[in-house]
Amino acid sequence: MQGLHPMGGELPLERPLVLGGRTFSSRLLVGTGKYASHQEMKDVLALSGTQLVTVAIRRVNFDAQLGTSILDHLDRERYALLPNTAGCYTARDAVRTAMLARDLLQTDLVKLEVLGDPRTLLPDPVGTLEATAELARAGFQVLAYTSDDPRLAVRLVEAGAHSVMPAGSPIGSGRGLANPSNLRILRELVSVPMVVDAGIGTASHVAQAMELGADAVLLNSAIAGALDPRRMAKAMAAACEAGRDAYLAGRIPERLYANASSPEEGLIEEAGPAPEQRPQ
Amino acid sequence: MEILVNGRAEQVEPGTNLAQWIAGKGLHPQQVAIEVNQALVPRDQREQVVLQPGDRVEMVSLVGGG
């Protein structure tokens, strides 16, 4: 059956997910925000199978009870931590936040967010590019949160990004992959890991991202905001594996017309299409 | 003397270095990071930095986030 596989019969390359020199067998990155309790967060992380979790940097709140850090609830043997610069709207603020994160966690990994405006939370492309270059020069392994624009992803890699994290759709919107074609093109244009980040609403979105070749998916709200976060964490883990396997298996191409899976020959007398419907 | 900590005025004894100041707050030194006047003070240099009147200090820690 010639032409069954979109890549001329060649299976996609199976390469491990390596970020910051560490190899991850789970391709699901999970955020630590918005859970009802530390216990719920711990359960969700365990059920999701994640090995890399995001955390945010904020001022110490002297009014709240001191001495209760989220670090006390995260097993760092089990989970690598990926600090973000969420909430920063300029390259300078993001760089300062990244510097603080590196000192706090003693890790070079950073999920860079330079946002454009608070309503869309879409990344600011110019600020993101500037901050990526500056942080890469300072020795960071930058995972750059970006739009699904393929050219911008190429420019981020040229500026030193260790990984690009295109948004599926706006953060917390739950709309899934707004432009899957762009993500497929982006995947082909960059060789660094592509982590689809933001906009995930449910398991099929994760599967779709993995099927089109994402190296990993990062999500938070889709689990934390579900009515049953623990069950959703399981669903996301299964979808991530299913999508990855489907990608590696090399799916059949789409076609406009049907293609019977049962033999068209050997039918009993008078069965099958009318003579005028039969192919010539 | 007065310094500004996370945007709030605070009194400290003159001559206090950052390491002493953090310890005095009952914070775990490895669970915070510090900027003085918008420049990071790395963890291993806190003892060398003595707080000055009017210093603007940012003290951060980790919270949940995506």
Side-chain angles (χ1 to χ4, degrees), chain A residues 8-72:
Chain A
E10 275 183 44
L11 289 171
L13 203 60
E14 191 164 358
R15 58 173 192 179
L17 176 63
V18 182
L19 293 169
R22 190 160 157 179
T23 303
F24 297 94
S25 55
S26 165
R27 290 173 182 271
L28 204 57
L29 281 59
V30 178
T32 55
K34 303 203 280 194
Y35 297 101
S37 64
H38 286 308
Q39 189 57 50
E40 184 178 87
M41 178 190 78
K42 283 196 272 191
D43 291 349
V44 157
L45 296 182
L47 287 163
S48 74
T50 188
Q51 297 164 318
L52 182 57
V53 305
T54 56
V55 287
I57 304 292
R58 289 293 179 273
R59 280 174 162 176
V60 171
N61 181 358
F62 295 106
D63 295 333
Q65 196 187 355
L66 290 173
T68 53
S69 166
I70 194 171
L71 278 174
D72 298 330

Side-chain angles (χ1 to χ4, degrees), chain A residues 59-60 63 84 92 96 104, chain B residues 8 35 38 43 58 66:
Chain A
R59 280 174 162 176
V60 171
D63 295 333
N84 68 33
R92 175 169 161 70
R96 283 173 60 198
L104 215 162
Chain B
R8 259 200 232 174
E35 268 188 352
Q38 302 200 353
R43 193 183 283 181
E58 289 287 339

Side-chain angles (χ1 to χ4, degrees), chain A:
Chain A
M1 298 274 271
Q2 211 185 359
L4 199 63
H5 294 288
M7 301 173 80
E10 275 183 44
L11 289 171
L13 203 60
E14 191 164 358
R15 58 173 192 179
L17 176 63
V18 182
L19 293 169
R22 190 160 157 179
T23 303
F24 297 94
S25 55
S26 165
R27 290 173 182 271
L28 204 57
L29 281 59
V30 178
T32 55
K34 303 203 280 194
Y35 297 101
S37 64
H38 286 308
Q39 189 57 50
E40 184 178 87
M41 178 190 78
K42 283 196 272 191
D43 291 349
V44 157
L45 296 182
L47 287 163
S48 74
T50 188
Q51 297 164 318
L52 182 57
V53 305
T54 56
V55 287
I57 304 292
R58 289 293 179 273
R59 280 174 162 176
V60 171
N61 181 358
F62 295 106
D63 295 333
Q65 196 187 355
L66 290 173
T68 53
S69 166
I70 194 171
L71 278 174
D72 298 330
H73 302 278
L74 289 170
D75 180 359
R76 292 189 72 182
E77 297 289 311
R78 185 166 177 182
Y79 307 113
L81 299 186
L82 175 61
N84 68 33
T85 65
C88 291
Y89 286 81
T90 65
R92 175 169 161 70
D93 293 344
V95 167
R96 283 173 60 198
T97 302
M99 297 279 182
L100 286 161
R102 178 163 68 176
D103 190 62
L104 215 162
L105 287 171
Q106 309 287 303
T107 175
D108 291 330
L109 283 174
V110 66
K111 176 189 160 186
L112 174 67
E113 283 186 34
V114 181
L115 302 174
D117 71 277
R119 184 153 172 251
T120 68
L121 297 179
L122 289 172
D124 180 73
V126 176
T128 301
L129 189 59
E130 286 171 4
T132 296
E134 187 171 343
L135 289 171
R137 279 196 299 272
F140 283 85
Q141 311 270 3
V142 181
L143 288 74
Y145 173 61
T146 180
S147 70
D148 57 21
D149 182 80
R151 273 309 302 173
L152 178 57
V154 170
R155 294 295 297 268
L156 289 169
V157 174
E158 287 171 357
H162 180 65
S163 165
V164 287
M165 309 183 91
S169 48
I171 293 171
S173 71
R175 293 211 315 261
L177 311 186
N179 193 342
S181 305
N182 257 21
L183 293 174
R184 285 170 64 183
I185 293 169
L186 194 160
R187 166 68 298 170
E188 297 207 357
L189 292 188
V190 303
S191 55
V192 301
M194 175 176 99
V195 182
V196 171
D197 179 10
I200 299 295
T202 187
S204 56
H205 299 155
V206 173
Q208 189 189 10
M210 296 308 292
E211 284 170 17
L212 61 77
D215 293 277
V217 172
L218 193 164
L219 52 84
N220 189 154
S221 303
I223 293 180
L227 291 177
D228 183 345
R230 293 171 179 86
R231 186 168 287 243
M232 189 58 92
K234 268 175 62 184
M236 295 304 190
C240 189
E241 287 203 23
R244 179 66 181 171
D245 275 336
Y247 168 69
L248 292 174
R251 59 153 293 170
I252 62 168
E254 289 185 20
R255 40 191 296 160
L256 189 57
Y257 291 105
N259 186 16
S261 46
S262 301
E264 288 165 37
E265 299 82 37
L267 289 157
I268 60 170
E269 188 183 13
E270 294 187 359
E276 65 273 16
Q277 289 181 316
R278 287 178 195 153
Q280 302 305 305

Side-chain angles (χ1 to χ4, degrees), chain B residues 23-50:
Chain B
K25 293 210 160 288
L27 292 165
H28 194 301
Q30 298 196 350
Q31 292 187 348
V32 295
I34 310 270
E35 268 188 352
V36 176
N37 301 327
Q38 302 200 353
L40 175 77
V41 179
R43 193 183 283 181
D44 59 4
Q45 291 171 29
R46 289 174 184 165
E47 287 183 7
Q48 285 104 54
V49 175
V50 176

